């Protein structure tokens, strides 16, 4: 079990799956960092994005790597609208209400998908889905490699956005000190909505990168939600680099503990690391001190 | 003692229900709603009064359920003793978890997610550990009788869960009226200020966690006796964690009757949605989710808060509520 | 402040009791919809998890049931009793959801309930039905516990774990022997809930007795997001045979990952494999599906009615899955028993089911015979994916192809 022939591929696999987790977690950490809510609807939105990617392929013939340029903006708009016109007004600015509202939305979205599309598992078959690169120890799936690169690209883009653009500065201002930002003339409702939109766009990107090697059904997003929440808190809520690094770490931990403890018990590794980190650093790896 | 009168009234009326209502459909509905209310009341002690939102209350529910099931099936222990043991085990677990997390200074969403992580850890362990039956779960042998805590009549179960809910209501009321309650609310409103005023915040939160754990565990033990089957998804799954926090928030956090009201509303909503939606899979849940959002939209302080707000609007519309009085009434 | 609290308490009291009592008194609990209430004395409860994690299987189960009911009604209903009213219920993929539906069905005066699908749901629902001596026919649920509790009302038409694993092993040994015993080492990959764990336990006990060596037993959760590590272990230990026991999605992911990692064993022999005997899998992943063997629920391939139903289902653009034909058969079983009972009476129906010798079903079970609620004739069969189709390879009486083992290079 400790031979490099198994360890190295396990770590590589962990990094690759971690990249997918990163894409899901990046959106969530933004939303948390600014709106201070755990977005319960994230998983359902991932399922919806996967359906969108599926239909883009089936009905429009768009390869997922092309569809992402269509779906990311589309889901940005969806996220913006959701926050601006439903979540924001419904929660009256109260965190706990936002929690319940996103919970309600999750139930609605998931069951709307079930009602509209039934529960059949759907997959797409793209020519590169089974192509691999032989790195000696193992075969690395091409779609996963693309996902890995994409995670870094998206993280970098988000970081650049946050640091150098006006919108990014406004977002950071609102995240840090909402009242002050308001007084400085920033439209907080709009910024909230932009943030939610960005988070949802990330989910759409994650979906497009996931679909070549995974499947689609109304409940599929649920499998990623807990891990994503864990990563967000582990990395420090609101931290983009935290989400990326946290995700890669979680991926590797999951992979290695799966190797040593079996896939079922191994899942515990993610949560144990999470608990351990939080007990030592209560605001996460890269989080601002509370 | 006077403060216990409303509780006594509510309990008396609810206790009379099985004499009027003979439909087992209705009784089953109420039993499940009361069980959820009990779990929610447990959550409410820690989350509503204490302000420490837990996303993993399944940890206590599941421990109660498994302990009582395992003690009966593997060690032949009496069901009632098992019930008590389940509650005690969860209380101990609550003390341990509380000590661990509060001492590290975990608060807010970090605390919430750590509780979720604990629930997941237990769920995973329960799904592979031989003692719980692993994936197969634990089946409690069907053996009707008072000794085995299995009743032929649903009404009997109803009265048992009602009694348990009654205890939880009294507990909440006593806490509300005690110094402990004042400290707890102080910690909720502003932990640092409370500490500065000399409140031992960690001890207070810990005590709340233990009480909270015991109450929610009772709901778990009851589940085991009512459905006679426990597996890791049932015991430690997110479904019960969500129900435990949903019902107090809907009904009114930090109030005595909030979880009870919330549970009745939420379950009725589920049924009502089915009535409207018919058989198409998923449609009733779409309605349920949408109404949930609407309820929050228009009754953001939970129904209790909403009713109070409505009353204020109707009777004192000539005196506009100032921000400070609104703040005072919140929660 | 104290005054305010008291008044709030009164409000709470009013609100709480109002909602509770109103709900109780009005009985406005959603009653299950009843299709066509006129002149239809036979009400049949149709219970499946059509929402939640098991929704696909639940919907397929409901499809099979309603198809059978429609056919029976189109032919004039049950002789002497009239048409069947399907009282549909959604178990919501949870035991408590299922129990609530059974209560409603009982109140709606159904004469019998069919379905449940998942073992944990069936355990709760059969028990709830037992309170009212309401006969309950389990469609799939394989846990042995379902029929070993001494419940007189519970009937399981299909096979349980014990029979399935025994058949799987006997057949595996037979196939292996026939091919000259090329397979010695085995790895089991199973999902970690009731069905997978239960099976793995039995396999672990019985495989060595048949001369096989188990290299490793790998449990995994449902859902599992990634099988690369599992495949890594398979590759490293190079077993002759991989035995998967899991649901559709995980099975597909496992098979695809094995294909991706170019892992080729002498064969994949699944037991209750989620995708192994699935037309959907064969259609969508012909390459990964080829030569896969399965010991699973399957219809009798020589049965004309089974083939006719297959055409009907496929014409509806659905896949012909085991939930469909098992539920279909259960309904016909119940209809036959009702006819013999001569009345839509629960006690009479229970007796009629207990003494049933029904053979007009679609399954390779022969004549029905219930002993303690379990149909003794029920057994799985062995299938293999050959020529882009699923063929039955064992037992010989039902086979329409010979097994190909080991897997050609």
């Amino acid at each position: 079990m400790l031979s490099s022939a198994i360890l190295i591929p396990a770590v590589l696999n962990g990094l690759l799956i971690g990249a997918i987790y990163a894409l899901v977690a990046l959106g969530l950490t933004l939303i948390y960092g600014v709106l201070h809510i755990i977005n319960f609807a994230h998983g359902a939105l991932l399922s919806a994005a996967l359906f969108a990617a599926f239909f883009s392929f089936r009905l429009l013939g768009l390869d997922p790597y092309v569809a992402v340029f269509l779906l990311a903006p589309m889901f940005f708009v969806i996220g913006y609208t959701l926050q601006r016109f439903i979540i924001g007004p419904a929660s009256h600015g109260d965190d706990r209400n936002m929690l319940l509202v996103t919970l309600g939305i999750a139930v609605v979205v998931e069951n709307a998908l079930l009602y509209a599309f039934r529960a059949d598992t759907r997959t797409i078959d793209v020519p590169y889905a089974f192509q691999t690169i032989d790195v000696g120890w193992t075969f690395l799936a091409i779609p996963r490699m693309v996902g890995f690169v994409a995670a870094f690209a998206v993280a970098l883009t988000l970081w650049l956005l946050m640091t150098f653009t006006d919108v990014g500065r406004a977002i950071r201002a609102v995240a840090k000190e909402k009242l002050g930002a308001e007084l400085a003339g920033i439209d907080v409702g709009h910024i909230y909505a932009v943030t939610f939109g960005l988070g949802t766009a990330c989910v759409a990107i994650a979906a497009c990168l996931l679909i070549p090697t995974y499947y689609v059904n109304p409940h599929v997003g649920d499998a990623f939600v807990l891990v994503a929440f864990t990563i967000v808190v582990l990395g420090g809520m609101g931290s983009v680099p935290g989400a990326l690094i946290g995700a890669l770490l979680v991926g590797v931990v999951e992979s290695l503990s799966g190797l040593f403890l079996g896939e079922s018990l191994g899942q515990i590794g993610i949560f144990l690391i999470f608990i351990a980190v939080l007990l030592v650093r209560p605001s996460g790896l890269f989080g601002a001190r509370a | 003692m006077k403060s216990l009168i409303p509780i006594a009234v509510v309990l008396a009326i609810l206790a009379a229900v099985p004499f009027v209502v003979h439909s087992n459909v209705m009784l089953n509905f109420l039993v499940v709603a009361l069980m959820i209310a009990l779990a929610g009341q447990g959550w409410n002690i820690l989350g509503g009064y204490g302000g420490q939102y837990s996303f993993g209350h399944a940890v206590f529910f599941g421990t109660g359920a498994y302990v009582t099931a395992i003690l009966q099936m593997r060690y032949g222990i009496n069901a009632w003793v098992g019930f008590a043991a389940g509650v005690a085990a969860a209380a101990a677990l609550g003390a341990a978890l509380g000590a661990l997390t509060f001492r590290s200074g975990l608060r807010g969403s970090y605390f919430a997610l750590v509780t979720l992580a604990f629930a997941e850890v237990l769920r995973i362990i329960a799904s592979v550990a031989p003692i719980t039956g692993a994936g197969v779960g634990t089946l409690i042998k069907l053996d009707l009788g008072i000794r085995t805590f299995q009743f032929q009549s649903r009404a009997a179960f109803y009265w048992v869960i009602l009694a348990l809910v009654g205890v939880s209501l009294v507990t909440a009321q006593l806490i509300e009226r005690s110094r402990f309650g004042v400290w707890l609310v102080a910690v909720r409103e502003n932990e640092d200020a409370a500490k500065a005023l000399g409140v031992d915040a960690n001890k207070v939160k810990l005590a709340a966690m233990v009480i909270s754990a015991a109450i929610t565990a009772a709901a778990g033990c009851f589940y085991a006796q009512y459905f006679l089957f426990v597996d890791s998804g049932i015991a430690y799954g997110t479904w019960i964690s969500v129900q435990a926090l949903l019902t107090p928030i809907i009904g009114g956090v930090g109030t005595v009757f909030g979880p009870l009201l919330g549970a009745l509303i939420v379950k009725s909503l589920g049924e009502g949605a089915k009535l409207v939606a018919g058989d198409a899979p998923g449609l009733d849940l779409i309605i349920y989710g949408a109404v949930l959002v609407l309820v929050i939209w228009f009754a953001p302080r939970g129904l209790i808060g909403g009713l109070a707000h409505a009353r204020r609007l109707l009777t004192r519309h000539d005196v506009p509520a100032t921000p400070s009085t609104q703040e005072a009434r919140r929660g | 402040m104290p005054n305010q609290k008291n008044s709030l308490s009164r409000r709470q009291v009013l609100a709480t009791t109002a909602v509770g009592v109103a709900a109780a008194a009005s009985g406005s609990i959603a009653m299950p919809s009843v299709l066509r209430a006129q002149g239809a004395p036979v009400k049949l409860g149709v219970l499946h998890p059509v929402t939640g994690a098991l929704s696909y299987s639940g919907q397929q189960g409901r499809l099979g049931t309603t198809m059978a009911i429609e056919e029976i009604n189109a032919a004039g209903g049950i002789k002497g009793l009239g048409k069947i009213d399907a009282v549909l219920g959604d178990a919501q993929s949870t035991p408590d959801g299922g129990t609530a539906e059974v209560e409603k069905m009982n109140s709606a005066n159904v004469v019998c309930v069919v379905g449940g699908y998942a073992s944990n749901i069936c355990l709760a629902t059969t028990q709830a039905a037992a309170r009212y001596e309401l006969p309950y026919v389990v469609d799939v649920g394989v846990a042995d516990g379902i029929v070993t509790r001494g419940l007189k009302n519970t009937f399981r038409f299909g096979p349980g774990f014990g029979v399935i694993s025994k058949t799987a092993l006997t057949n595996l040994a037979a196939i292996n022997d026939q091919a000259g015993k090329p397979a010695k080492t085995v790895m089991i990959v199973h999902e970690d809930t009731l069905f997978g764990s239960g099976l793995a336990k039995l396999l672990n006990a019985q495989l060595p007795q048949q001369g096989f060596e188990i290299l490793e037993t790998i449990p995994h959760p449902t859902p599992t997001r990634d099988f690369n590590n599992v495949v890594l272990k398979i590759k490293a230990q190079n077993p002759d045979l991989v035995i998967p026991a899991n649901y559709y999605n995980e099975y597909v992911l496992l098979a695809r990952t094995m294909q991706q990692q170019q892992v080729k064993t002498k064969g994949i022999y699944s037991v209750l494999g989620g995708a192994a005997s699935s037309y959907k899998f064969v259609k969508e992943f012909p390459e990964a599906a080829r030569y896969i063997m399965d010991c699973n629920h399957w219809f009798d391939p020589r049965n004309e009615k089974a083939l006719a139903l297959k055409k009907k289902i496929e014409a509806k653009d659905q896949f012909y899955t085991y939930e469909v034909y098992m539920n279909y058969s259960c309904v016909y079983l119940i209809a036959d028993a009702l006819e013999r009972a001569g009345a839509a009476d629960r006690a009479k129906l229970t007796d009629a089911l207990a003494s049933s010798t029904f053979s007009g079903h679609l399954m390779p079970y022969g004549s029905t015979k219930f002993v303690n609620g379990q149909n003794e004739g029920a057994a799985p069969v062995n299938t293999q994916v050959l020529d882009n189709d699923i063929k039955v390879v064992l037992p010989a009486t039902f086979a329409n192809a010979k097994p190909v083992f080991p897997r050609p290079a």
Side-chain angles (χ1 to χ4, degrees):
Chain A
M1 209 49 71
L2 286 170
S3 76
S4 63
I6 291 205
L7 273 182
I8 297 180
V11 170
L12 290 175
N13 282 331
L15 288 171
L16 291 184
I17 189 88
I20 301 284
Y21 294 162
L23 287 165
V24 179
L26 279 168
L28 200 57
T29 202
L30 259 189
I31 293 175
Y32 186 80
V34 175
L35 284 83
H36 300 292
I37 49 147
I38 307 290
N39 175 20
F40 269 127
H42 215 64
L45 289 171
L46 178 61
S47 306
L50 278 164
F51 268 102
F54 174 78
F55 286 118
S56 305
F57 184 80
R58 265 307 149 81
L59 301 176
L60 302 175
L62 288 176
D63 183 276
Y65 297 151
V66 171
V68 69
F69 295 105
L70 166 67
L71 294 178
M74 187 172 119
F75 272 77
F76 174 86
V77 172
I78 292 177
Y80 185 97
T81 317
L82 263 178
Q83 169 61 28
R84 196 83 206 252
F85 301 112
I86 300 182
I87 302 176
S91 26
H92 305 274
D94 187 323
D95 285 1
R96 84 191 82 168
N97 288 337
M98 247 184 273
L99 211 117
L100 286 195
V101 170
T102 55
L103 185 68
I105 290 176
V107 171
V108 171
V109 170
E110 192 169 302
N111 286 285
L113 292 172
L114 178 67
Y115 179 66
F117 304 121
R118 284 181 44 111
D120 310 38
T121 293
R122 293 163 153 90
T123 48
I124 64 170
D125 209 355
V126 285
Y128 50 82
F130 286 115
Q131 279 175 12
T132 53
I133 301 179
D134 186 348
V135 291
W137 301 283
T138 184
F139 295 104
L140 294 180
I142 298 231
R144 290 283 166 92
M145 306 273 316
V146 174
F148 189 79
V149 172
F152 278 89
V154 170
L156 183 64
T157 313
L158 279 177
W159 182 81
L160 288 172
L161 193 91
M162 290 291 128
T163 319
F164 295 116
T165 65
D166 281 342
V167 170
R169 272 188 274 265
I171 292 177
R172 278 187 292 140
V174 170
K176 245 206 162 101
E177 180 56 68
K178 181 179 125 188
L179 193 57
E182 230 173 342
L183 290 174
I186 296 179
D187 179 352
V188 173
H190 169 70
I191 292 296
Y192 274 5
V194 166
T195 311
F196 206 92
L198 281 174
T200 316
C202 285
V203 156
I205 299 174
C208 290
L209 286 154
L210 186 57
I211 199 174
T213 51
Y214 209 65
Y215 53 83
V216 184
N217 69 36
H219 312 292
V220 79
D222 295 345
F224 291 87
V225 161
L226 279 186
V227 183
F229 280 173
T230 310
I231 292 168
V232 164
V233 178
L234 180 68
M237 295 194 253
S239 161
V240 166
L244 181 60
I245 298 188
L248 293 176
L249 179 65
V250 163
V252 172
V253 167
E254 181 187 38
S255 188
L256 289 176
S257 46
L259 202 59
F260 290 108
L261 298 172
E263 290 300 307
S264 292
L265 189 57
Q267 289 291 298
I268 231 176
I270 306 175
F271 300 104
L272 288 179
I273 285 284
F274 172 76
I275 292 172
V277 169
L278 278 192
L279 290 179
V280 173
R281 263 192 80 89
S283 36
L285 290 173
F286 291 82
R289 288 238 143 239
Chain B
M1 269 310 120
K2 219 171 72 169
S3 62
L4 293 178
I5 292 182
I7 297 179
V9 170
V10 169
L11 287 179
I13 295 180
L14 288 178
V17 166
F19 296 114
V20 177
V21 171
H22 298 291
S23 152
N24 270 348
V25 176
M26 200 57 228
L27 285 176
N28 180 58
F29 169 82
L30 287 172
V31 167
V32 176
L34 285 174
M35 185 185 72
I36 302 286
L38 185 63
Q41 186 65 286
W43 186 94
N44 192 30
I45 304 290
L46 183 66
Y49 290 104
Q52 311 300 313
Y53 274 36
S54 146
F55 284 7
H57 246 57
V59 141
F60 307 122
F61 182 88
T63 300
Y66 263 125
V67 165
T68 190
I70 292 172
L71 284 179
Q72 285 177 67
M73 287 295 104
R74 281 183 189 264
Y75 301 104
I77 300 211
N78 172 272
W80 296 88
V81 173
F83 193 100
V87 171
L93 184 64
L97 288 185
L100 208 56
T101 52
F102 295 138
R103 249 186 359 153
S104 305
L106 280 170
R107 299 194 198 175
S109 302
Y110 295 97
F111 172 75
L113 286 178
V114 149
T115 56
L116 182 60
F118 277 118
E120 272 299 291
V121 167
L122 282 183
R123 187 186 64 75
I124 292 166
I125 293 179
S127 76
V128 295
I131 196 171
T132 59
V136 180
T138 303
L139 187 64
I140 297 183
K141 191 156 164 303
L142 182 65
D143 187 4
L144 295 175
I146 298 186
R147 190 184 49 84
T148 51
F149 204 145
Q150 299 176 27
F151 310 109
Q152 170 65 13
S153 109
R154 290 221 188 274
F157 273 115
Y158 175 86
W159 283 313
V160 169
I161 190 68
L162 185 62
L164 290 169
V165 169
V167 169
S168 74
L169 289 173
V170 169
T171 308
Q173 179 70 293
L174 290 176
I175 289 179
E176 227 182 60
R177 307 226 133 220
S178 70
R179 195 178 304 176
F180 172 69
V182 172
W183 293 338
L184 194 56
V185 171
V187 167
R188 176 186 79 202
E189 292 301 317
N190 191 330
E191 184 164 337
D192 295 317
K195 276 203 213 162
L197 288 170
V199 176
D200 188 340
N202 278 351
K203 249 208 200 142
V204 165
K205 289 195 283 188
L206 190 66
M209 178 90 126
V210 170
I211 299 172
S212 171
I215 296 176
T216 302
C221 296
F222 183 84
Y223 183 101
Q225 297 306 129
Y226 193 64
F227 289 101
L228 298 179
F229 177 71
V230 185
D231 69 23
S232 58
I234 290 171
Y236 295 117
T238 46
W239 74 276
I240 185 67
S241 291
V242 168
Q243 295 282 63
L245 70 85
L246 185 67
T247 49
I249 296 181
I250 294 277
V253 283
T255 65
V256 173
F257 289 99
L260 179 57
L261 190 55
L264 289 169
I265 291 172
V266 164
K267 295 303 278 181
S268 301
L269 178 59
E271 292 299 321
K274 275 197 197 170
L275 198 68
V276 170
D279 289 313
L283 196 54
D284 61 315
L285 289 169
I286 296 176
I287 296 176
Y288 173 83
V291 173
L292 202 63
V293 173
L294 289 172
V295 166
I296 310 283
W297 203 318
F298 298 110
R301 281 187 225 86
L303 225 70
I304 305 251
L307 288 173
H309 190 64
R311 193 202 193 206
R312 268 196 299 278
L313 285 177
L314 290 172
T315 59
R316 294 193 199 161
H317 58 258
D318 50 300
V319 179
T322 60
S324 57
T325 54
Q326 290 233 326
E327 281 301 297
R329 284 188 195 123
R330 198 153 66 90
Chain C
M1 242 322 146
N3 279 335
Q4 200 138 45
K5 273 224 169 119
N6 269 338
S7 65
L8 221 47
S9 294
R10 272 204 295 279
R11 186 144 307 99
Q12 292 174 33
V13 171
L14 280 175
T16 309
T17 50
V19 173
V21 173
S26 72
S28 64
I29 299 302
M31 294 307 291
S33 76
V34 175
L35 317 171
R36 287 175 292 115
Q38 81 282 14
V42 186
K43 296 210 178 83
L44 181 62
V46 175
L47 180 59
H48 294 98
V50 291
T51 58
L54 303 168
S55 48
Y56 181 68
S57 293
Q59 290 181 18
Q60 290 294 93
R62 191 187 264 192
L63 177 62
T65 329
T66 47
M67 279 232 105
I69 294 175
E70 273 166 29
E71 276 180 17
I72 293 173
N73 285 348
I78 300 179
K79 272 198 204 72
L81 293 178
K83 304 204 176 174
I84 305 176
D85 263 333
V87 177
L88 303 177
D90 175 11
Q92 297 194 330
S93 301
T94 63
D96 37 288
T99 304
E101 291 296 308
V102 170
E103 293 292 344
K104 291 184 201 168
M105 288 173 176
N106 174 57
S107 285
N109 290 318
V110 300
V111 69
C112 180
V113 176
V114 65
Y117 177 69
S119 291
N120 58 349
I121 297 178
C122 291
L123 284 168
T125 51
T126 49
Q127 217 153 255
R131 287 172 177 275
Y132 311 111
E133 289 171 359
L134 172 58
Y136 191 113
V137 176
V138 172
D139 56 344
V140 175
V142 294
D144 287 323
I146 293 177
V147 291
T148 53
R149 291 165 298 166
L151 294 178
K152 295 271 179 309
N153 71 318
T154 304
F155 297 93
R156 179 163 64 194
F157 186 57
F161 267 152
V163 170
I164 294 173
S165 57
K166 192 148 149 269
T167 311
L169 284 163
T170 317
N171 289 353
L172 173 59
I175 293 175
N176 199 26
D177 286 343
Q178 227 170 57
K181 291 205 173 162
K184 277 232 160 26
T185 55
V186 161
M187 274 179 81
I188 305 174
V189 179
H190 69 92
E191 64 92 46
D192 63 8
T193 69
L194 201 150
F195 120 72
S197 299
L199 252 160
K201 207 160 152 209
L202 286 169
L203 289 175
N204 265 288
Q206 294 162 9
L207 270 170
Q209 292 170 11
Q210 300 276 7
F212 291 97
E213 183 196 339
I214 304 177
L215 296 177
E216 195 174 344
T217 301
I218 304 178
H220 67 79
T222 302
T224 293
R225 295 174 289 269
D226 180 66
F227 273 96
N228 273 299
N229 279 346
V230 175
V231 173
L232 213 58
K233 286 190 191 171
I234 296 175
K235 210 169 171 179
Q237 298 181 75
N238 201 15
D240 296 322
L241 220 56
V242 171
I243 301 186
N246 36 31
Y247 290 103
Y248 184 85
N249 296 329
E250 283 66 40
Y251 196 104
V252 169
L253 268 183
L254 174 66
R256 284 183 93 176
T257 311
M258 283 178 75
Q259 189 183 339
Q260 209 167 52
Q261 293 290 330
Q262 298 177 17
V263 174
K264 284 223 162 67
T265 54
K266 292 197 178 126
I268 296 182
Y269 185 92
S270 48
V271 183
L272 290 183
S277 306
S278 159
Y279 286 115
K280 185 179 165 77
F281 181 50
V282 174
K283 178 166 168 218
E284 297 184 358
F285 303 105
E287 185 61 49
R290 207 175 303 166
Y291 300 118
I292 283 186
M293 289 185 283
D294 192 17
C295 186
N296 210 332
H297 307 293
W298 196 252
F299 61 93
D300 180 353
R302 310 163 310 174
N303 186 314
E304 288 302 323
K305 281 206 294 184
L307 297 170
L309 181 63
K310 179 167 184 272
K311 281 211 181 69
K312 255 173 111 173
I313 297 288
E314 286 171 354
K316 279 180 174 244
D317 221 9
Q318 296 297 334
F319 287 100
Y320 197 44
T321 59
Y322 66 93
E323 301 97 342
V324 175
Y325 43 81
M326 284 177 87
N327 273 278
Y328 183 94
S329 300
C330 285
V331 171
Y332 271 95
L333 168 79
I334 296 169
D336 170 79
L338 275 169
E339 197 180 308
R340 285 170 27 239
D345 173 83
R346 291 178 183 178
K348 292 205 176 116
L349 177 57
T350 306
D351 289 335
L353 279 169
S355 60
S356 176
T357 54
F358 183 61
S359 53
H361 53 74
L362 311 180
M363 307 302 289
Y365 298 164
S367 260
T368 304
K369 180 161 182 255
F370 285 110
V371 173
N372 287 333
Q374 175 62 49
N375 180 10
E376 295 280 296
V381 296
N382 270 47
T383 61
Q384 189 166 23
V385 179
L386 297 165
D387 302 322
N388 273 354
D389 192 12
I390 303 178
K391 307 259 195 259
V392 176
V393 295
L394 276 177
T397 20
F398 300 106
N400 54 8
K402 285 232 169 344
V404 175
F405 182 71
R407 178 201 179 101

